[in-house]
């Protein structure tokens, strides 16, 4: 058997040059930037790209499932159009994020809920 030689050299100069070149291509964030609405992303050239939504599985107990069904039916009667359950959940998430009163009510509800 021949002796094993573990010594070798890796040249990273080209990788460093590549990364340095990339860093100048992206604009830094500015204080006056508009926040993303979650459905589009702005490309470097200023055009918009559609962002795919994330998928979640939601397990509901029978009472919560019934309540969500009833909410969807109430919203349909009120708006005159079909309201998807996912649309209701997205709206509730936004409300909890934007409205301190809704966020506080959510925290209170979660504090009272039994731990599993």
């Amino acid at each position: 058997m021949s002796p094993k030689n573990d010594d070798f050299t890796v040249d990273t100069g080209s990788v460093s040059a590549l990364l340095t070149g990339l860093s100048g291509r992206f604009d830094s964030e500015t204080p006056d930037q508009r926040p993303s609405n979650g459905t589009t992303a702005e490309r470097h050239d200023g055009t918009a790209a559609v962002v795919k939504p994330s998928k979640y599985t939601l397990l509901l107990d029978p009472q919560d499932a019934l309540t969500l069904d009833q909410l969807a039916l109430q919203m349909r009667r009120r708006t005159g159009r079909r309201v998807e359950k996912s649309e209701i959940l997205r709206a509730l998430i936004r409300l909890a994020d934007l409205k301190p009163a809704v966020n506080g009510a959510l925290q209170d509800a979660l504090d009272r809920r039994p731990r599993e």
Side-chain angles (χ1 to χ4, degrees):
M1 250 190 223
S2 62
K4 188 174 179 181
N5 186 358
D6 289 335
D7 294 335
F8 62 92
T9 304
V10 176
D11 178 16
T12 60
S14 59
V15 174
S16 297
L18 176 66
L19 294 175
T20 302
L22 285 176
S23 64
R25 293 182 57 194
F26 300 102
D27 298 328
S28 59
E29 293 184 6
T30 60
D32 62 337
Q33 277 183 303
R34 294 185 324 263
S36 170
N37 66 4
T39 59
T40 60
E42 191 170 324
R43 293 184 179 125
H44 184 66
D45 63 4
T47 61
V50 175
V51 176
K52 292 181 181 180
S54 298
K55 247 184 200 182
Y56 288 88
T57 299
L58 181 65
L59 301 175
L60 299 173
D61 61 37
Q63 183 58 47
D64 289 340
L66 180 61
T67 301
L68 185 57
D69 288 339
Q70 289 171 341
L71 281 170
L73 183 59
Q74 289 171 6
M75 296 298 114
R76 180 180 183 166
R77 289 179 180 148
R78 185 172 182 183
T79 63
R81 66 174 181 84
R82 180 181 172 147
V83 177
E84 299 287 336
K85 294 171 196 165
S86 60
E87 185 179 358
I88 293 170
L89 294 171
R90 285 191 303 272
L92 288 170
I93 290 168
R94 281 189 226 104
L95 285 171
D97 184 44
L98 297 174
K99 307 275 185 184
V102 176
N103 190 292
L106 176 61
Q107 289 178 19
D108 290 345
L110 292 173
D111 286 343
R112 286 190 299 264
R113 199 162 177 129
R115 289 195 164 83
E116 296 176 7

